[in-house]
Amino acid sequence: MGVTLTKSAQWTAAGRGPATLEVTPLNEAILQEIIVFVESFLYMYPREAKFVFVEPLGWKTSLEPLAFGSGYVISEKTVKSEEVDKNGEPLLFLSVPQIKVRSFGQLSCLLYIAKDKKLKEAQACLEANRDPVVKILGSDYSTTKREDSSALRILDKIIKDDDPEHEIKTNIAMLIQQMDMHLLNYSLKHISLEIRLNPSAIKNDVELLQRYSGKGEQTVLESIEYTSDYEFSNGCRAPPWRQIHGEMCYVLVKPHDVEALCITCSTEGVFLNGGKTDDATEINYERKGKIYKDLITILREKSATFSKNMAKQGNTFNEEQQKETFQPDEAPKKEEVTTKADAEKSTLQMNPINFVRNPIGKRLEPSLNWKSTVDLKDHRSSGRDTQEEKHARIEKGRSSVVSGRMQSARKAADKPEEILSESSSESEEDEEPPDHRQEANADLPSEYWQIQKLVKYLKGGNQTATVIALCSMRDFNLAQETCQLAIRDVGGLEVLINLLDTDEVKCKIGSLKILKEISHNPQIRRNIVDLGGLPIMVNILDSPNKNLKCLAAETIANVAKFRRARQAVRQHGGITKLVALLDCGRSPSEPPQPSLYETRDVEVARCGAQALWSCSTSYANKEAIRKAGGIPLLARLLKTSHEDMLIPVVGTLQECASEENYRAAIKAERIIENLVKNLNSANEQLQEHCAMAIYQCAEDEETRDLVRLHGGLKPLASLLSKTDNKERLAAVTGAIWKCAISKENVTKFREYRAIETLVGLLSDQPEEVLVNVVGALGECCQEYENRVLVRKCGGIQPLVSLLVGINQSLLVNVTKAVGACAVEPESMMIIDRLDGVRLLWSLLKNPHPDVKASAAWALCPCIENAKDAGEMVRSFVGGLELVVNLLKSDNKEVLASVCAAITNIAKDQENLAVITDHGVVPLLSKLANTNNDKLRRHLAEAIARCCMWGRNRVAFGEYKAVAPLVRYLKSDDTNVHRATTQALYQLSEDANNCITMHENGAVKLLLDMVGSPDQSLQEAAAGCISNIRRLALATEKARYA
């Protein structure tokens, strides 16, 4: 933590006093992450939590002795922990106002005790202990004295240490080191919000310049390369400690007419740095000269040849640059920071607001249309309201809002919890259709007029009359829309919300009971938000009355069904208070309850979980729940046997598990075991949400193994036979799909006869089920036994019939499954007989790149295993031309899959001649300057095959494909080496290509390949060297002759 506090945290000095942390969003974010780390330390690392610090962490606290409970010896002015070290000294000692803590376990307990003061306590502790690592582990581990704070240095120190507790010290030191790196990376997200020149723009410029670079005289540069191949998740390539300064990457440029330039690309612009140091491993980051707006501008000024050649290439280059610039950004929007004033404005604004949304790139996922969100990791997909919520528009607003309620709302707004950044799905207002009003002359039931009379009593009566009117109103059927709208139309909502701001508990309870019932109506819930009802309900969550807490939480759960409501709950501190409800069974100032699940406490926790479930469809709210410590509490509640409690708890976890941070925490909290246990419940809704949570978490291999180890695969397989509940079936098949990614799980599914059941589900099922069923079969059919099983169960025909659909997700999964089955010759005969190959070929025209790529991959085994494959391919009119034209795609996966298909097509000489006539050689050559190893491998294989026709070898040399291929030998991928050496061997049959290879240093690289244990790689490398050497000998012989 010392590195982050030194390099990332923002400090200020107050007069002549000690430096303090500034009140900035970055500092608050860092503090919240540290709090989460320390709070979870006690139960995640119980052994390390008992380690006694070398020196105590001391600071001035705001906590009083009465805040401490069991486990402490409390007097009027002091508190001592019952937990002591080996010398009998307490690990926590408070002498008001000074406190000293000597273990992580006590720090964790202290934050739990501090509750809403934990941020203040954490700040005071860090301000008083600028380098806490020194006091925890000793002065040898100072992170502020020197830059070298790597894990290796820490480990080296501990190994040399004679302390018998060195193993625990090692663990703590490594945990702190990992936390430091996490905090440094976390701070980059905040800094990236201020970027003016972004990594995407730099990357586009570099890639464009690479296309126009090379050895020729007409090229703009000789070469341009990054100094680092590693790219962080934010698109930057600079080390984290340089990204703090706004630097994104460093580029080495070799112009034709001047020495090599080392350029820093930062948020402010680009500039020359000091270049590489003497040892050529580090860069001198110091700026040399002025800052330019972009790479093109600086290179124009530094190189006359670049400027001249750019003028010649100008039109073409500008068109490509413009194309890159206006290409839809596939990354999700940066979260927009919302101020308090903006939040109030968006809450009270009555007119609909339209925001322009950028297209959001989506990773392919199961089509679970019955859920509002499935996977927000890929990224933050907007959770739209259901059609039922969108059939009414809120009224224009009411002017008669009682001042007492407005004052309360203002007070709540003055003390909101940290206003988190809004994701694009949260900041955009829902479309609000016209409001449906009762017509004046409509034939309304008598209840409508009776309710209006009761509202008048509410407005003008005394306390007794108000309570009687509320009780009478509850006697009506408030689930009926007529009754709900009657309350609203006569101004009853304003009165009910005003009653929440009184001191009369009976009036509050009566009002909340009515609001809870009528807030199921989408029009009513919008009106409640517009009238400022949510801040008051959030304040009620602090009430000591548990009935009030429950009713307020349940009403919030009903209202928070659309974005503006969820945003209002968060901005007024509701998330933190709702998380606190999950822990209402124990209070640090009271002795522990005999059971956490005492009846009243269960109901409070259940209502809190219900409200969090509604709020958790927002990404910002998920982060708020995590930072408020919701995960450990949800994990604890998951161990109860109360189904009413389990459903909202699992529902919340299911929504949150779409985030990687949550999935890691779910593993750490051993939640998977309880999810698996609840799959055996008799409650269908609970089974559904448990299966959906497993689906979300099973992206991770370790989680898939945990599901198997805890016996979760058998109940999933058994639930496949229960097809009456389609929502549950979709969740179960989705969980099976993700679990089937691991081979060990596939073996278990075969043992439980799940594959036969999946084949039976290929017909008469909704698309959301079919997507998952086919996805699961696609994973299972990677093994021979399962391919045979699918064929014998008659699964090939329904799979081929699904190739004519239009659902993108379904088509991707079906093509993968058909391709997997085509590996087996007998299955391939059935696919060919059903015209499956023609259907796959037609999908190459699909507008979605994912479908194109998947179809091309599926064609590879089809061509390879078909009888008379050459004639079959030629029978498709225009098929070969279509494949060749796909080499013009911008999608790397499409290009790699098409190159693989061309490799198989070119095995037939007639087909090779046809694709040569269609211009396959120049198109393949144009792709040679790529850094993608997957594309490199299949491109090299395609080039090797295409060399076997006519003068294609010579043509590849003329189109400058040879030199880039030599660079492929520097890759770390053995498959790339094998394919490249085979391509170079074929190309080396031409003398000019041999000269190009020799000039680019191919011989030395190939000599290394000759020593490879891969026989085909050895032979190809040796053959290539032999051709180059034979040419050299012939040249010498001709010279001396």
Side-chain angles (χ1 to χ4, degrees), residues 419-579:
I419 297 178
L420 298 173
S421 301
E422 294 298 319
S423 65
S424 59
S425 65
E426 279 290 286
S427 60
E428 182 181 346
E429 190 62 71
D430 284 315
E431 179 187 354
E432 296 177 349
D435 192 4
H436 287 212
R437 289 275 174 179
Q438 299 288 351
E439 296 179 12
N441 57 353
D443 187 13
L444 297 171
S446 60
E447 291 89 345
Y448 185 88
W449 309 111
Q450 291 171 11
I451 287 175
Q452 291 204 347
K453 288 179 182 178
L454 288 173
V455 171
K456 291 178 183 177
Y457 286 118
L458 284 178
K459 288 181 176 179
N462 57 22
Q463 179 186 344
T464 305
T466 301
V467 173
I468 293 172
L470 289 171
C471 294
S472 301
M473 197 176 291
R474 289 201 63 226
D475 290 336
F476 288 94
N477 181 12
L478 296 179
Q480 188 178 341
E481 187 177 28
T482 303
C483 297
Q484 295 166 351
L485 297 181
I487 295 173
R488 184 198 63 176
D489 292 347
V490 77
L493 279 179
E494 289 96 327
V495 180
L496 290 171
I497 291 172
N498 286 335
L499 289 174
L500 299 180
D501 208 21
T502 66
D503 296 328
E504 297 298 328
V505 175
K506 291 182 179 178
C507 292
K508 286 183 177 181
I509 290 175
S511 176
L512 281 171
K513 285 184 175 180
I514 293 170
L515 288 171
K516 184 186 81 169
E517 294 295 329
I518 65 175
S519 58
H520 288 287
N521 187 306
Q523 299 176 47
I524 300 293
R525 64 171 70 112
R526 292 179 187 278
N527 295 156
I528 290 172
V529 172
D530 292 324
L531 292 169
L534 278 177
I536 304 174
M537 294 179 199
V538 167
N539 288 338
I540 292 174
L541 296 175
D542 290 326
S543 169
N545 187 301
K546 293 184 179 181
N547 285 338
L548 275 177
K549 285 182 180 180
C550 290
L551 290 167
E554 285 184 297
T555 310
I556 290 172
N558 291 340
V559 175
K561 300 290 187 183
F562 63 106
R563 286 172 235 152
R564 197 151 48 87
R566 293 190 289 268
Q567 177 183 336
V569 173
R570 181 177 69 255
Q571 289 176 345
H572 291 90
I575 299 297
T576 303
K577 294 177 182 179
L578 288 170
V579 169

Side-chain angles (χ1 to χ4, degrees), residues 13 15 111 260 315 369 446 483 636 673 678 854 882 962 973:
L111 288 176
N315 291 335
N369 297 328
S446 60
C483 297
R636 196 168 72 181
E673 181 179 354
N678 288 313
S854 189
L882 173 62
V962 180
D973 191 335

Side-chain angles (χ1 to χ4, degrees), residues 806 808 811 842-852 889 891 894:
I806 58 173
Q808 179 190 353
L811 287 174
S842 67
L843 289 176
L844 296 177
K845 300 176 184 177
N846 194 284
H848 298 289
D850 290 335
V851 177
K852 288 180 184 176
S889 172
N891 186 287
V894 171

Side-chain angles (χ1 to χ4, degrees), residues 841 844 873-884 905:
W841 214 287
L844 296 177
V873 170
R874 286 191 297 277
S875 69
F876 303 137
V877 178
L880 292 173
E881 184 179 4
L882 173 62
V883 170
V884 173
I905 291 169

Side-chain angles (χ1 to χ4, degrees), residues 708-932:
R708 182 180 71 256
L709 292 173
H710 291 304
L713 301 182
K714 190 170 184 178
L716 284 173
S718 65
L719 287 173
L720 280 177
S721 59
K722 301 176 181 178
T723 60
D724 51 333
N725 186 331
K726 300 303 180 184
E727 293 179 348
R728 181 183 60 183
L729 185 60
V732 168
T733 50
I736 289 175
W737 173 15
K738 291 301 179 183
C739 289
I741 296 173
S742 296
K743 289 185 178 180
E744 296 86 351
N745 291 350
V746 172
T747 304
K748 285 289 183 183
F749 283 134
R750 185 168 64 248
E751 180 184 329
Y752 299 141
R753 305 184 66 83
I755 296 172
E756 295 93 321
T757 311
L758 287 169
V759 171
L761 293 173
L762 286 173
S763 57
D764 301 325
Q765 296 297 335
E767 280 190 347
E768 54 266 27
V769 174
L770 285 174
V771 169
N772 302 336
V773 169
V774 176
L777 287 173
E779 297 295 340
C780 293
C781 286
Q782 301 302 314
E783 295 184 4
Y784 170 76
E785 296 89 342
N786 297 334
R787 290 194 289 269
V788 173
L789 199 57
V790 169
R791 173 171 55 80
K792 289 182 176 179
C793 292
I796 304 295
Q797 184 172 353
L799 281 174
V800 172
S801 66
L802 290 173
L803 288 171
V804 297
I806 58 173
N807 183 300
Q808 179 190 353
S809 304
L810 182 56
L811 287 174
V812 170
N813 286 355
V814 170
T815 49
K816 181 178 179 180
V818 171
C821 292
V823 174
E824 192 206 12
E826 291 185 38
S827 297
M828 180 57 219
M829 291 173 60
I830 300 173
I831 293 170
D832 190 19
R833 188 172 67 248
L834 295 170
D835 212 17
V837 181
R838 185 182 300 277
L839 292 173
L840 284 172
W841 214 287
S842 67
L843 289 176
L844 296 177
K845 300 176 184 177
N846 194 284
H848 298 289
D850 290 335
V851 177
K852 288 180 184 176
S854 189
W857 287 122
L859 283 171
C860 295
C862 290
I863 297 170
E864 190 173 350
N865 293 294
K867 288 184 178 180
D868 198 8
E871 184 60 36
M872 177 189 74
V873 170
R874 286 191 297 277
S875 69
F876 303 137
V877 178
L880 292 173
E881 184 179 4
L882 173 62
V883 170
V884 173
N885 285 334
L886 284 176
L887 291 173
K888 299 173 184 177
S889 172
D890 295 327
N891 186 287
K892 292 288 192 295
E893 189 69 19
V894 171
L895 292 173
S897 60
V898 171
C899 286
I902 287 173
T903 302
N904 286 281
I905 291 169
K907 291 177 182 178
D908 182 89
Q909 288 292 302
E910 288 186 44
N911 290 338
L912 178 54
V914 173
I915 62 174
T916 300
D917 292 341
H918 285 308
V920 73
V921 173
L923 289 171
L924 289 173
S925 302
K926 190 176 179 181
L927 299 175
N929 286 302
T930 180
N931 295 320
N932 185 297

Side-chain angles (χ1 to χ4, degrees), residues 10-283:
Q10 299 158 332
W11 294 85
T12 183
R16 296 184 180 179
T20 59
L21 284 167
E22 292 182 0
V23 181
T24 65
L26 176 58
N27 280 351
E28 284 196 51
I30 290 173
L31 286 173
Q32 290 286 5
E33 290 298 309
I34 291 174
I35 288 170
V36 171
F37 171 73
V38 175
E39 277 186 321
S40 61
F41 203 96
L42 180 61
Y43 55 85
M44 289 185 71
Y45 314 103
R47 187 162 157 241
E48 288 77 12
K50 296 177 182 177
F51 175 79
V52 180
F53 298 164
V54 175
E55 294 178 41
L57 297 177
W59 69 93
K60 186 180 289 187
T61 181
S62 60
L63 296 176
E64 295 294 330
L66 292 177
F68 293 78
S70 59
Y72 297 92
V73 179
I74 306 168
S75 64
E76 185 177 352
K77 292 288 186 181
T78 64
V79 175
K80 294 181 182 179
S81 66
E82 293 178 355
E83 188 179 9
V84 295
D85 63 9
K86 58 186 177 182
N87 297 322
E89 294 292 325
L91 297 185
L92 181 146
F93 179 73
L94 168 64
S95 178
V96 180
Q98 294 294 327
I99 190 169
K100 292 183 179 180
V101 184
R102 301 179 61 200
S103 75
F104 272 111
Q106 287 298 325
L107 276 177
S108 185
C109 292
L110 182 70
L111 288 176
Y112 177 79
I113 291 167
K115 287 192 176 294
D116 55 349
K117 294 181 180 178
K118 61 180 68 173
L119 189 66
K120 184 179 179 182
E121 290 299 314
Q123 181 174 345
C125 176
L126 294 173
E127 286 174 350
N129 305 276
R130 288 290 295 272
D131 194 358
V133 182
V134 172
K135 293 190 175 183
I136 295 170
L137 297 174
S139 58
D140 287 341
Y141 301 92
S142 172
T143 52
T144 58
K145 290 180 181 178
R146 51 197 288 182
E147 286 293 319
D148 181 17
S149 60
S150 66
L152 290 175
R153 181 180 71 81
I154 293 173
L155 190 57
D156 184 58
K157 283 284 181 189
I158 295 171
I159 290 172
K160 293 177 181 177
D161 197 343
D162 296 331
D163 191 339
E165 293 184 325
H166 71 272
E167 184 184 349
I168 295 178
K169 266 190 172 183
T170 303
N171 295 341
I172 293 175
M174 296 303 293
L175 287 170
I176 292 174
Q177 172 69 17
Q178 291 168 11
M179 183 61 184
D180 251 330
M181 290 305 298
H182 169 70
L183 291 175
L184 283 170
N185 288 325
Y186 190 82
S187 63
L188 296 180
K189 295 181 181 179
H190 291 264
I191 293 168
S192 62
L193 293 175
E194 302 172 359
I195 287 179
R196 294 189 292 275
L197 193 61
N198 58 54
S200 178
I202 294 294
K203 186 176 182 180
N204 288 340
D205 283 351
V206 171
E207 288 179 353
L208 277 173
L209 288 171
Q210 284 176 337
R211 293 182 206 166
Y212 288 85
S213 299
K215 295 290 184 183
E217 295 179 358
Q218 301 301 318
T219 57
V220 295
L221 297 167
E222 281 190 21
S223 65
I224 176 169
E225 299 288 344
Y226 294 105
T227 59
S228 170
D229 291 330
Y230 184 80
E231 183 175 336
F232 289 85
S233 59
N234 60 359
C236 296
R237 295 171 186 261
W241 55 89
R242 299 305 303 175
Q243 292 184 41
I244 296 295
H245 302 290
E247 295 176 6
M248 295 179 286
C249 65
Y250 311 97
V251 182
L252 282 174
V253 182
K254 183 65 181 76
H256 289 290
D257 54 343
V258 294
E259 292 184 358
L261 307 173
C262 191
I263 299 174
T264 297
C265 302
S266 74
T267 58
E268 298 176 354
V270 300
F271 54 85
L272 288 178
N273 56 43
K276 293 229 173 180
T277 56
D278 293 336
D279 60 1
T281 59
E282 294 291 332
I283 291 175

